[in-house]
Amino acid sequence: MGKTRISGIQLFLLITGFLLGSRLIISPASESKTDGWLSILIAGAGGILLVTMYASIALLNPSRTLVEILRDRFGKIIGTIVAISYIWYFTHLAGLVFRDFGSFLVTTTYPRTPMEVIIAIFALTIIYAVNSGIEVMGRISEILVPIVPVLSLIIGASIVTTHDFTAFLPVLENGIKPVIKASLNLLAFPFGEAVVFLMIFPHLNKMKSLIKITTFSTLSVIGLFLYIFFRNIIILESHFLDQATFVPHLTSVLFPGLNLEPLFGVIMIIAGGIKIISAIYAAVMGLSQLIGAKDYRTFTTCIVAFSVILSIWVHENIFEVFNWAGNTWFYYSIPFQFIIPLILLFLSLIKKADPKPQDL
Amino acid sequence: MIAMNYSMFIVVLLFTILTLYDLWRFVRKKESVKVLIVFIIIMVSSLIIGVLLATGRRPASPSELIDRLLKMMGVIK
């Protein structure tokens, strides 16, 4: 790992921006309707455990990225195969966020512009940001991520006149099953996706504060998700929450005489951008470490290009994207987010308990 | 009659130019053969898929394949 370092606050904001990502434009836990707040709390508790597990793996393997840990713990052949799967997963994730971003802007702001053009223009900025390095990514998040909660609060405060404070009652009207399903989806998207940070954690300047940083990031995101959920349900009520494609956007256009729509575009560009930058950085860094390239920037353009093509290719329309994210993404993510990190944690703990002479 | 997606063609062209420029730099910097091969594989696969999408011949996407695999395993219905 090189000498490039990011501070605790930069990592905190990078993780926060990443976790907010495209979940800000798709209402968190809207599948469980009025019980969304319960799903957010359950998924949040699981999210804290998951992110702490990723941080523990990083602490048990100091200065090593996910690819290096995989090759070290699983051996060269299996480790390389698993590392390739992770590089694919990170690229796929970036492609899906590109698609969310493109679909959102085409549906709400630029209906006459082809989605491919919007995604490609955004991708050029992503290439520039990733090639600028992790320090610049840290500074970008330091400047831009605080804008996201501020804008969300402004939107909430602007439309608070239209409300029904009992809209989230009765509790568990449809039973516990939809709540659990929404919790699992929210756990995998976005909390489990933080596995990407196993490629970024080694850049932190003070590793001892890692668990504190990850926990605070996750708690902030849970808080913002709860705020967004209550804002949306108080203003829209549950039947609208279930019908709208981009729920927070619908919330913003309800207020007469005040155009809050561009604020959602800004939120999407910031949070979606941070998420794509982190995923692409992880994929590019992983690939360069796997191949043994001198510089990770070697693969930035080709991985971003592939990701852009993938974003157009992967689903035919936004409804397919939502359907896939709601029904398949969790199961597809299980090995990447839960099983392999658990095995890694277990193997790292064994290695720590019984170090070989060369590890000392 | 094939429905052409011209904006997709422009996007494919843009990224082809960018990646070809990178490739030219790598050849000049004498990057290892392994790096060049991986770079070319990713570049060519993006180009092929991009052209297929632009010409309206969309191949089965990874999400569809993952869906089928999970259905075959009985994980999803």
Side-chain angles (χ1 to χ4, degrees), chain A residues 162-180:
Chain A
T162 321
H163 58 254
D164 171 13
F165 288 114
T166 57
F168 61 93
L169 296 171
V171 178
L172 291 176
E173 188 184 12
N174 303 307
I176 192 80
K177 218 175 155 188
V179 177
I180 300 292

Side-chain angles (χ1 to χ4, degrees), chain A residues 88 92 114 116-117 120 123-124 287 291 293 298-299 301-302 305-306 309-310 313-316 324 327-328 331-332, chain B residues 5 7-8 11 15 18 22 26 34-35 38-39 42 46 49-50 53 58-63 66-67 70 75-76:
Chain A
W88 158 256
H92 191 184
E116 296 87 352
V117 174
L124 295 179
L287 190 60
I291 304 297
T298 310
F299 293 107
T301 314
C302 71
F306 186 75
I309 301 291
L310 188 66
W313 178 32
V314 81
H315 297 291
E316 285 199 80
W324 205 77
N327 296 319
T328 314
Y331 300 105
Y332 165 59
Chain B
N5 182 347
S7 45
M8 188 69 202
V11 171
F15 281 107
L18 285 175
D22 268 5
F26 300 151
K34 217 159 67 169
V35 170
V38 173
F39 188 91
I42 299 172
S46 308
I49 299 162
L53 290 172
R58 183 176 173 271
S61 79
S63 298
I66 293 162
D67 247 352
L70 289 174
V75 178
I76 53 171

